Amino acid sequence: MKKLTTLVSAAALTVASLPALGASPWMVENNTTKSECSDCHMAYAPGFLPERSWLAIMNNLSDHFGEDASLGDAARQEISNYLVAVAPKELRGVSSIAVPLRITDLRWFRGEHGSRLRNRAENNPNIGTMSNCTGCHRGAERGFFDDD
Amino acid sequence: MKTKLIITTGAALLFAAGVLANAQRDAIVASLASQAGVSSFNADAGRAMFLGNFTGGKEATPSCTSCHTNNPQAQGRTRVGKVIEPMAVSRNPERFTDPEKVEKWFRRNCTSVLGRECTAEEKGNFLAFMISQ
């Protein structure tokens, strides 16, 4: 009985140390992450990249895909912690030694978005780049991409 | 009578919000002036910086206009396609009212465009130009 109590309280502790019960990797649920990461683009959900990729991105914000996206230490730390807590350790189709930085370079992404579609999106001034999810997927920020 | 009261109150509130925004912006400009050791800023120098092309920064952003367009009253677009609201205070009264936000974006964008942080004088000139627009 004592064993069971210990087990239950250990489990409770583990759950309590997580950022949010049942945090979804498919939408950004941390407010700092949501606001800071959506200044220039949609705040991409943690599930799209493995943990090591997010850390590589968060540790090089002063050269963020060709722009300075540096943050104060407190915000940077909070966002990193959130991403580490929610992002997957490994991503299907990604080698465990690879550190992909662009979601748009992942094999599944290129498969879903062929070259003809890419050209059409990039030549549409309202979309402009494949990184602009909401240009086509209206529900992208809520994790809905099945509207294509 | 009631409608008139509501309209008057609404107008007064809008006016008050405008006065507050102006006061917040003035405080930012005053702080830059004291850092720069000047009594006023030069909007023309701010315009020149806004329209200028630079080589010291990052390749994708040689100018402020790369994202903001050369018209401060128009919407701009980030490199990822997201709309940027106009920089001109006349079009966007919320602009330059939050000191942290102002510092954050000067830090980032001066580094991206110029390859270094801007001086207090450059920031003040830039704000003077946007306030005049």
Side-chain angles (χ1 to χ4, degrees):
Chain A
M1 186 62 198
K2 195 172 175 201
K3 225 176 193 170
L4 185 68
T5 320
T6 320
L7 205 68
V8 168
S9 48
L13 265 178
T14 314
V15 169
S17 65
L18 292 173
L21 198 55
S24 163
W26 300 116
M27 60 192 274
V28 177
E29 293 174 317
N30 171 274
N31 283 334
T32 305
T33 308
K34 209 187 294 179
S35 67
E36 292 293 353
C37 301
S38 66
D39 276 333
C40 304
H41 53 67
M42 182 190 108
Y44 306 120
F48 283 114
L49 289 173
E51 173 192 308
R52 59 185 177 278
S53 296
W54 290 118
L55 284 175
I57 289 169
M58 292 307 294
N59 289 330
N60 190 26
L61 285 178
S62 58
D63 189 4
H64 187 66
F65 303 100
E67 273 180 64
D68 183 329
S70 57
L71 283 169
D73 282 342
R76 198 179 59 81
Q77 201 53 60
E78 182 183 344
I79 295 169
S80 293
N81 291 348
Y82 163 71
L83 291 169
V84 165
V86 182
K89 294 269 185 243
E90 297 295 340
L91 212 56
R92 208 162 52 145
V94 175
S95 145
S96 60
I97 52 163
V99 189
L101 299 179
R102 293 177 188 272
I103 299 164
T104 51
D105 280 347
L106 298 178
R107 201 182 309 156
W108 72 263
F109 186 97
R110 300 186 82 90
E112 291 273 331
H113 308 85
S115 60
R116 210 182 315 161
L117 189 144
R118 260 177 196 249
N119 282 338
R120 232 174 58 211
E122 284 166 3
N123 289 321
N124 180 337
N126 289 323
I127 303 169
T129 111
M130 292 310 288
S131 313
N132 187 3
C133 307
T134 47
C136 298
H137 302 284
R138 301 287 164 206
E141 279 162 307
R142 284 172 284 119
F144 296 123
F145 290 89
D146 285 340
D147 50 359
D148 52 352
Chain B
M1 180 63 193
K2 208 171 181 182
T3 319
K4 208 170 175 184
L5 183 70
I6 289 170
I7 291 172
T8 319
T9 316
L13 278 175
L14 268 181
F15 179 73
V19 170
L20 179 65
N22 286 337
Q24 288 166 326
R25 200 178 307 108
D26 288 349
I28 293 172
V29 173
S31 151
L32 287 171
S34 97
Q35 286 172 51
V38 299
S39 56
S40 66
F41 287 115
N42 180 344
D44 286 338
R47 180 202 302 269
M49 191 166 95
F50 179 70
L51 296 175
N53 271 296
F54 301 89
T55 50
K58 301 194 191 294
E59 227 170 278
T61 54
S63 170
C64 306
T65 62
S66 308
C67 297
H68 292 286
T69 82
N70 58 13
N71 176 7
Q73 304 200 1
Q75 282 183 333
R77 214 171 258 277
T78 69
R79 288 168 56 232
V80 197
K82 193 159 178 168
V83 166
I84 308 172
E85 293 308 324
M87 300 286 282
V89 171
S90 66
R91 285 298 167 91
N92 190 358
E94 290 292 301
R95 274 280 180 217
F96 317 119
T97 55
D98 175 348
E100 270 182 38
K101 213 168 163 179
V102 169
E103 273 312 306
K104 170 175 132 183
W105 287 104
F106 269 131
R107 186 189 71 237
R108 287 177 165 184
N109 292 353
C110 290
T111 316
S112 289
V113 174
L114 305 174
R116 60 167 174 83
E117 296 218 13
C118 288
T119 64
E121 184 161 13
E122 285 171 328
K123 293 176 192 173
N125 291 340
F126 188 92
L127 292 194
F129 172 55
M130 290 307 168
I131 290 167
S132 76
Q133 292 297 297

